[in-house]
Amino acid sequence: MGKQQSPKKLSHGNSSESEAKEHIEALRKKKFSIGAKKPNPLTQDLHHAVTCLSAELYTKDVHFLMELIQNAEDNEYEANVEPTLEFALTTQDITGCGAPMTLLVFNNEVGFMRQNMESICSVGRSTKKGKKRKGFIGEKGIGFKSVFLVSKHPHIVSNGYKVKFSEEPDKNCGIGYIVPEWISDESFITRIQGVYGSGILPTTTIVLPLKDDKVDPVKEELSGLHPELLLFLSKLRRLYVHKNSVGTEKRNSVTAISIASETNHVAVRDKQADSRVVHLSVKENLDAPEEKCQYYIWRQTFPVKPGATVSGRTDVEEWIVSLAFPFGKRLKRGTSSVGVFAFLPTSMVTNFPFVIQADFILASSRETIVLDSRWNRGILECIPYAFMNAFTCCVKEGSPLFTFAQAFEFLPAKPSPFSELNEVREVIQRNLIDALIMPCETFSSEVSFCKPTSAVRILPRFRELLFKMKEAGISLAAMSRMKNSLVHSSLDQDKYRSSMEFLGVHFIPGWYEKCITVCDLVSQSSDDLYVDVLHFVFCNRAEFTIKHMPLIKFINEAGKVKLSTIAETHGGQKVVFAEDAVLHAWMQKCNILFGCPNNMFVLPKSIQAALRRHPKGLIVSSWLQSYGIRPYSAAEYASQVCDYVSHKAEPKLVLSFTHFLYRSRQKKFLTDSDVFSILKSIPIIDGSGCVKVQRTETLVPAGGSKWAKLLGPLNPFLEANYVDIGEVYAAYGQFAGEHTTDPVLLNFLMVNTGARDLPEISPPNLPLQVASSQMTSEQAFLLLDWVRFHRTRGSKIPERFIESIRIGKWMKAKAGVDCPSCCTIPDEIGKSILELVKDVVLSFSIVDEDFYGDLIHSYRDELKFLGVRCGINDVQDIVKDLFIRLASFLLSRKTAVSLLLFIGFLKERKMLDEKWLNTISLGRWMLTYKGYVAAPRDTVFPQSDSEAEALLKVTSLHVIDDKFYGGKLHSFLDELKLLGIKSESEVYALAVRNLAFPDNPASLTPSCGLFLLNCLRNEESPVTSFVEKVESTPWLKTNLGFKCPSEAILYGADWGCLLRITKVPVIDEDFYGNEIRSYIDQLKAVGVGVEMENVLKIVVKELKSHLSSRVTPEHLIALLNCMSEMRGRGSSLLDDICKCLQDEEILKTRHGYRKPREAILFNSKWASISLFVDLPLVDDSYYGIKIYGFREEMKLLGALSSLEEGAIFVSRGLSGPIESALLTAESTLSLLVCLKILMANGDDHPCLGAFIENMSRSELLMTSSGYRLPQNSLLFQSAWAQMLELTDAPFISDTFYGTDMSAFLSQLKVIGVKVDLMEVCNVLSASLPLLAETSRIRRIYQFLKEVQWKPNSSGTVDLQIWIPVKEESEEGQWVNSSHCVLHLKEHYFAPVLYPLDAYYEKELLPFFSASYGVEEFPSMHHYLQIWSLWETMEAKELSDAECSFFWGYMLKNWNSETENVLTKAIAKVPATSPDKGILLASRESVFVPDNLWLKKMFMNLGDFPLFVWFPKTSAISCVPAVKFCEVYYALGVRKLSDCVRCSVSIMQPSGQQDKVDLKGKLIVKGLIEIVLGFLACKIHMPVKERHEAAKSLVSLSVFDKDENIQVSYQLYLTADRYIKAEAVKFVHWDKKSQRLFVDWSFSENPRASAEFVNFFAVEIAEGLLPHERPAVVNDLRNLIQTGFLLEFQEDAVQFLLTRENIEVPLEDDEFLSATLNVAYGKHGAGPAKRPSAEGASFSPLTPEASQSAKRRRLAEIVSTGKGGKLKAKSTYADKMSSQKKIAAKDTSDPIKPKRPLSAFFIFMEEFREQYKLEHPHMTAVAAVSMSYHLCTTVFADTGMMMLIIQEKARLIQLAEIRKAEYKKEMEAYHRKIVEAENMRVKEEPQSDVNDEENEVSSSEED
């Protein structure tokens, strides 16, 4: 092997051993001058050539295998022999040289010839050079020499030759590697045969005894032999690998690689190509299954291009390019998928799914091809054409292995890591895209081809649908008119996705819609296929513009089938149907009856049947349901009508629909369950007369209910939509001509709505307010019964409800009131537990059993459910849960001891819970010397302080800090063991497995060493890794410092003399003490020299022979030996000799004779740089290798040996840039060491500048990306290893150099390496956009974040950020940083923003913000960007959430700047439409509905306008509507009221009689008081203006109109376009004529009475405040409306004004009296003056006393029942008192009777007393008044008062009785006054009396 066969054999063609031996002897004598008289002059050249050979070429140690395989391929074989190569690895030392293992190579070639042997004994004389055309693949001439990398003494046995070679220089000629030596050992062949397992060996055997450090690399390379290496070899057919072979045992470990079979070449003549199929097999051992793979190999010939010829290939005229396409799983045997072969595999991974083989020129390492070679580039240019031909042939003509579709798997879809191969890939891509190679679907057996750019992919579901239609006879001919052809079905699969993307074949948006439209598939399809079409459209609705596609079939009003678009059905049109024909007719009839509510139509029956039977019908139905298209039952139809009724929310319509449901149930169209279900959502008129649309539950009336006892008389669950049924349902009624008697409808409604009382009422999801304070025992038991009822029935109690009970402080405890969750009812043991842990658990609330009695125990389950802890188990659980919570944090010493006491307590009583104990043991609450960093089960408890010290220093264990716990833990050993804490003997076992020596052994104490020995002693079988680590770590203290045990000895008297010869580490017994001697066995176990044999191995020293002192080589050796002896004896002459010789040129070097200090003694450090640095090395060829045995003596003479000494010569010898092929790790380190030395000596060295320049210009440094110039390299810091990988950037490889390169920080920086942190960061950041691997980019981002990197430039606009596609994928895309934000809570930004918190860890987000300028949340710009996107979308319908998302942000940030930005940026605003949802419309086309009455009126029109959107259900619904209005106004949106013009049609009155009567009933004193007080206190109107307003009201003329008051409203959409609406008003104030027109006919309509009050209040309020804000007008309206309902009684008006914090000013009071006197007469009460008590009646306010006037209004409660003033007789005594005295009596007389209360204030007094009884906690007057206010407001708004006429009469009667009593008391009081005055008068002069009489006369009446 390693040769070419020569026709010349040794002797007549037969090789004899004697001739071979003679040949070897001749070579030794002639070529190497061994035994010759005259030396060969070429010997010196051979020596230098061999020295260069030793450091050349390879970067890996084991490339010799490839060289041997290459040689085997080039060998010649007999015709009947199957070329085979075998490798056998054995532990036998076959050569006897002490090798640990031996590798044997067997080859059945014809054998070695003379020329072959002579070639091996030379350098650069390969017998295969220039013979590439003859099939030889080797050419370097030194392939066999590569075996010296793994073997010092290779042996060859072949054709009679038995020779060996040596790496060391031959002792006779001084040359190594190529000097043959005959093997005379006769047993040598026998040992080889024993390994081979046969007495007959193959012709050639190579025996390689392996070096000690090369065993593992050889094993690894043998295991990694690529099985595909036989693919492109023309001769070798089998290859075997035997590991640990011994005789026949090798068969059990054999790995066989073979070519099982191959087909003949099939020629393709017009392309100069052929193809074949090769079957390759691999079998790891005899028992393992055989792995096979077939390869389709395409081979094509190309002429060599003229410009590509290189030396060594001049005779080659053609390139043969082979492409191998694997069919099946490739054979790799754990290796990488090699992509490039040069007959043998390289290390290049191309990422291509095929293998490339050609006659490439390889790099010296054989790892890669030389990519910049002209020859290789020429071959690479041929590969696209070869691939194109192979691919086209397979696709169009077929392949014996795979179909045309499978051929697409071999497209190079993935990019290659090599740019040159990417160019090949791009050429392939361009050629394929422009070729007719894409199979198209023809819906037949034929296959046509098109260009990839003309093809389109479709979803498999649509393809199936097209095939079904084809089978059904539907014509698809129209598809031929479409631009794009369908990809064939066999290719349109997910596994070909990457191939299709590579060719540019994609899914084309809109193709499906165009196909359906062009082929008219909807109309042509049968019912089932129609469902298929709908199903596909649904599944892929993003691909369609559904709005314009007529897809939905329905029956219109005329009974014809029509098509509707999805947009129409989605916009509000409903298509429904019934499954039963009768029911369908009934629904149709009802639909007409109700006026087709909600635009409902009917689906054809055949379509409905298809939906029911089709497998996908359910899915399609679900989709259509979203557009209102679904099968309707009678119940569902009723539900839709119910929605319509709910929307209208009109009492009359609600009542009619209830009648409809009742009749429908009678006719059995609806079942009981249907009715019950519908009535759940039907609006209900509640007890107050209001229509309640939303209803969670129906309640029984409050009167007599249990819920009122618990919760109070007012319904507390209004917020949860709990509604009580009103009495209106009990009235007589009719529907569709059928009458319903009084109780029937009410009973029907109550039964079917399931009206409930406690405890059946379902708890609402609201906090129970009554649970916020202490309950009575009755309330508590009502509550517990409520809870019990629902728990026993398995009902789910809402969280908020039950949580409010659990946390509400309503339960009586001994210490006060507390919440149930904080209360407990413990037993005796539970009390003991609480006492035990009282330091941790400070307090418990214990339920007051005396308060609740024994009955409380019957609710044990309910109490537990509410959180009350009962009994020992619950108390125990409380404490356990408490400790679990505490154990998740850091426990104090006291808490930890309490926990251990609790564990002991449970242990004694056998109550320990293993699960709880396990949870406690997992918490990091136990303090160790490293802190709270480990769970108890992961800690150890040492027995002593010394043991703790040792554990801390030599293990990684977590040691408990016993000092922290005060030494108390020793009394809890059992509890600690239960927690999993290790102690005593367990500590040693843990220490063995967790050994961790400190970086500085000097910190080790004696106890550490003794502890390690104790570990060995206590472990019966110590862990191997532990022993190995102890042996190899310098922890043992010796006289020379800390050393490994294997380097040290224990002192003994027997070998003490040996210590005087050399310095040997001896154990420091003073350090360890005498105790160290007790561990003799353990010291032996770890390798300490204890016995003589071991000591001798450590102290051996070789002695040298004596030579003469002449200057010849022999003399120099003798001199050095003598110096050695003298140095050994310590002779004083040694220094004198050295001084004499130091200045003499006695040493021969490569530069001639030099002084010792100018010569360098060669060593391994110099070998690595001697290839490119010219050094004055000592001539070892002259002195022989023995010169190296006197290095110390040479140093004494001054010779240089280390780099530190010879650095100056290195700088002088480096004359230019270094070729990277000559560099090794060692050589680079040597250069850096030299540079370091020179820099340390100063920067003024003459050679330093040139030395640095030459290093800087050399590709000097091996990085993760290969050799790079220093300026293109980065220094990797060890601290970055947790964040970065070496492959992330061109970092210098510490692994390659075997050292930490940061030791040369200054030197690397000088030659241009980026070493500064910011420089490295800038390089990393600049390289980021070139990367496309998510994991790699993440690491770089993390690193940049950790070092707080910031970009150099101030702007960050152009910075890119990587956005990963998927979490587990490496793919992604680069986006501009301005398109990113840190957090994105809303999904609406998806089209324009990327939230970085969705792609990166939380820690990275501040980095993106600081370094890339990424904003934390979307800014105003982003919101406007998404709004602009919505504006551009045609007919975009927004959801309420989308609008809330945008406008919520704008309102939150609203200011003048925001207003300016919005005004410029927004062209459209959201507008609502009943049938189209929320749309975007221009600001000029929408209105702000500032008048809801106008809005409702215009909304009822067919051509209704658009109104701006207001939030309903979003988070910003709480924002006042006025705030939204301000925004809309700022944007230029018009008010509805500003754009409406109205005109009133009123006939002028003919008489004046009606005027007087109506004005007296309407314009009364109470009304004027309300107006004046409101104008003064609420809007602070000046006195003059409010008096004018009151005058305008008093001066009104009121007229009754027999006909309706018609009002016409015009809403101007534009300047010339408006819509018109008409309405009827009950009241109208004509400002011009100061007339108030009234439609008094309202009294005949019960409903119209409330409406009249409302119209009257609105007209007065708006008439008085035409320019005021709507909110202010509305407040005045409500006040007038309430006063009207209270009949403007004086007492009621005063109370109403006081409640609203309004007081009529004094000047207004005077104005009021004066004005009313003028208008109505002297008294000013006007016609509204109430009758006296005697004549009091309750006639209605309306003109007629009709039944409707008897409504239950609060006004019927309030009575003025006020008597006339007491008119005392005009006696002398009545007139004599002065004003001062009368005033004193009025204000301070204690005996004066108090004025009696009116009927109204009697009612208020009773109301307050009753309210205080029911709400004892509400004592404030304001609170009571507010409750009354709420009550009266509800009643006033609805016109329904709850008190009956009799109750009102009772109050008036009681007021009259009190008034009569008051009269009697006043008469008696006045008599006393008169008597007193008479007595005083008698005593005073008469004149004084007369004066006083005059003064009193003016104020007579009280």
Side-chain angles (χ1 to χ4, degrees), residues 203-495:
T203 311
T204 299
T205 300
I206 299 177
V207 182
L208 303 175
L210 300 179
K211 299 177 183 178
D212 292 349
D213 58 339
K214 304 302 181 184
V215 174
D216 290 336
V218 170
K219 288 182 179 179
E220 183 179 353
E221 187 70 8
L222 285 173
S223 301
L225 277 177
H226 206 291
E228 293 178 342
L229 58 83
L230 297 181
L231 270 181
F232 305 108
L233 298 182
S234 60
K235 297 177 182 178
L236 273 182
R237 284 298 177 265
R238 291 188 181 275
L239 187 145
Y240 297 95
V241 177
H242 311 275
K243 295 181 182 178
N244 299 325
S245 303
V246 180
T248 57
E249 294 180 3
K250 69 176 186 177
R251 300 173 183 174
N252 297 327
S253 61
V254 65
T255 297
I257 304 174
S258 63
I259 294 179
S261 64
E262 64 177 309
T263 63
N264 294 328
H265 292 265
V266 179
V268 183
R269 295 181 180 178
D270 59 338
K271 300 185 184 299
Q272 295 295 314
D274 58 52
S275 62
R276 61 191 174 103
V277 176
V278 175
H279 295 250
L280 197 63
S281 66
V282 174
K283 192 169 186 179
E284 290 293 340
N285 53 61
L286 295 177
D287 299 330
E290 186 178 33
E291 299 181 36
K292 293 184 178 181
C293 183
Q294 303 178 71
Y295 294 82
Y296 174 77
I297 299 179
W298 175 274
R299 185 174 67 179
Q300 188 167 352
T301 303
F302 297 91
V304 176
K305 297 181 179 179
T309 305
V310 295
S311 61
R313 298 288 200 279
T314 56
D315 57 341
V316 180
E317 299 177 354
E318 293 180 338
W319 286 317
I320 299 178
V321 177
S322 297
L323 303 179
F325 302 92
F327 185 70
K329 185 177 180 181
R330 288 184 66 179
L331 304 178
K332 296 192 293 184
R333 285 188 72 230
T335 61
S336 59
S337 298
V338 176
V340 177
F341 277 64
F343 301 101
L344 291 175
T346 66
S347 297
M348 297 179 67
V349 179
T350 63
N351 285 346
F352 293 169
F354 56 87
V355 183
I356 301 171
Q357 149 65 27
D359 182 20
F360 290 109
I361 295 176
L362 298 177
S364 59
S365 63
R366 194 177 273 281
E367 290 182 327
T368 61
I369 66 174
V370 182
L371 293 172
D372 57 355
S373 168
R374 299 194 306 273
W375 178 269
N376 290 346
R377 283 194 172 275
I379 295 176
L380 291 177
E381 291 175 0
C382 298
I383 292 175
Y385 302 100
F387 180 87
M388 186 70 183
N389 294 332
F391 181 79
T392 305
C393 183
C394 293
V395 170
K396 293 190 175 182
E397 301 177 12
S399 166
L401 283 183
F402 38 78
T403 65
F404 70 82
Q406 291 171 327
F408 281 80
E409 296 180 11
F410 300 114
L411 293 177
K414 294 182 179 179
S416 173
F418 302 96
S419 59
E420 292 79 5
L421 293 177
N422 271 330
E423 294 176 4
V424 173
R425 175 178 177 269
E426 292 170 0
V427 174
I428 292 175
Q429 186 181 32
R430 289 197 298 269
N431 293 344
L432 290 175
I433 289 175
D434 200 39
L436 297 173
I437 48 89
M438 182 57 62
C440 302
E441 189 67 74
T442 60
F443 296 97
S444 64
S445 58
E446 298 180 357
V447 178
S448 62
F449 297 91
C450 69
K451 293 183 179 180
T453 53
S454 301
V456 62
R457 295 182 64 194
I458 63 172
L459 295 173
R461 182 71 184 88
F462 194 72
R463 190 182 296 274
E464 294 174 7
L465 182 60
L466 292 177
F467 275 109
K468 285 183 181 180
M469 291 185 174
K470 185 68 176 179
E471 294 173 359
I474 295 175
S475 174
L476 300 177
M479 290 183 62
S480 61
R481 301 197 304 268
M482 301 182 68
K483 179 180 179 181
N484 300 97
S485 302
L486 281 183
V487 172
H488 196 271
S489 57
S490 60
L491 278 174
D492 204 356
Q493 303 179 30
D494 189 62
K495 63 180 179 178

Side-chain angles (χ1 to χ4, degrees), residues 862-1046:
E862 288 71 27
L863 291 172
K864 285 186 175 182
F865 175 71
L866 295 178
V868 180
R869 306 299 181 97
C870 304
I872 174 61
N873 292 332
D874 285 347
V875 173
Q876 181 180 344
D877 290 341
I878 290 173
V879 180
K880 285 181 179 179
D881 293 342
L882 176 62
F883 276 120
I884 287 176
R885 293 194 301 273
L886 292 176
S888 62
F889 303 93
L890 313 180
L891 295 189
S892 65
R893 181 195 314 170
K894 182 182 292 186
T895 305
V897 172
S898 296
L899 173 59
L900 295 174
L901 286 171
F902 180 64
I903 293 174
F905 178 90
L906 297 180
K907 174 176 170 293
E908 290 177 2
R909 290 161 176 75
K910 298 181 180 179
M911 299 168 63
L912 268 177
D913 182 2
E914 293 297 329
K915 183 177 180 181
W916 173 80
L917 193 63
N918 181 62
T919 303
I920 294 296
S921 67
L922 293 176
R924 295 186 175 183
W925 55 270
M926 182 67 77
L927 178 64
T928 69
Y929 283 96
K930 298 179 181 179
Y932 293 94
V933 296
R937 62 171 53 186
D938 297 326
T939 62
V940 296
F941 182 62
Q943 298 304 304
S944 63
D945 293 340
S946 60
E947 183 176 311
E949 180 186 27
L951 285 169
L952 291 172
K953 288 184 178 294
V954 299
T955 70
S956 59
L957 296 174
H958 300 285
V959 183
I960 295 176
D961 189 356
D962 188 40
K963 295 179 181 179
F964 173 79
Y965 296 103
K968 295 182 180 181
L969 296 183
H970 289 279
S971 60
F972 296 100
L973 291 179
D974 292 338
E975 288 77 8
L976 293 176
K977 288 182 179 180
L978 289 174
L979 290 172
I981 298 174
K982 310 300 185 298
S983 62
E984 300 176 350
S985 59
E986 295 174 320
V987 175
Y988 295 109
L990 280 177
V992 167
R993 294 191 293 272
N994 295 274
L995 187 63
F997 285 100
D999 294 334
N1000 181 16
S1003 64
L1004 296 175
T1005 61
S1007 60
C1008 297
L1010 297 177
F1011 176 79
L1012 292 174
L1013 297 174
N1014 263 323
C1015 291
L1016 289 169
R1017 176 181 289 174
N1018 284 277
E1019 287 295 308
E1020 296 179 0
S1021 56
V1023 181
T1024 303
S1025 61
F1026 172 78
V1027 176
E1028 291 176 353
K1029 193 167 186 178
V1030 171
E1031 288 177 348
S1032 60
T1033 303
W1035 61 271
L1036 194 58
K1037 181 69 168 62
T1038 70
N1039 60 331
L1040 301 179
F1042 285 89
K1043 300 293 181 181
C1044 300
S1046 58

Side-chain angles (χ1 to χ4, degrees), residues 1061 1099-1105 1121 1124 1127 1186 1189-1190:
I1061 300 174
V1099 193
V1100 168
K1101 182 177 181 181
E1102 185 178 351
L1103 300 178
K1104 304 296 182 177
S1105 60
N1121 190 46
S1124 177
R1127 189 168 54 88
K1186 294 180 180 180
F1190 300 95

Side-chain angles (χ1 to χ4, degrees), residues 520-548:
D520 196 17
L521 299 184
V522 173
S523 298
Q524 292 190 77
S525 299
S526 63
D527 294 336
D528 288 336
L529 288 178
Y530 171 69
V531 176
D532 284 332
V533 172
L534 292 180
H535 178 258
F536 179 80
V537 173
F538 159 70
C539 294
N540 303 275
R541 50 195 178 277
E543 299 289 335
F544 295 88
T545 54
I546 302 178
K547 177 180 179 180
H548 304 292

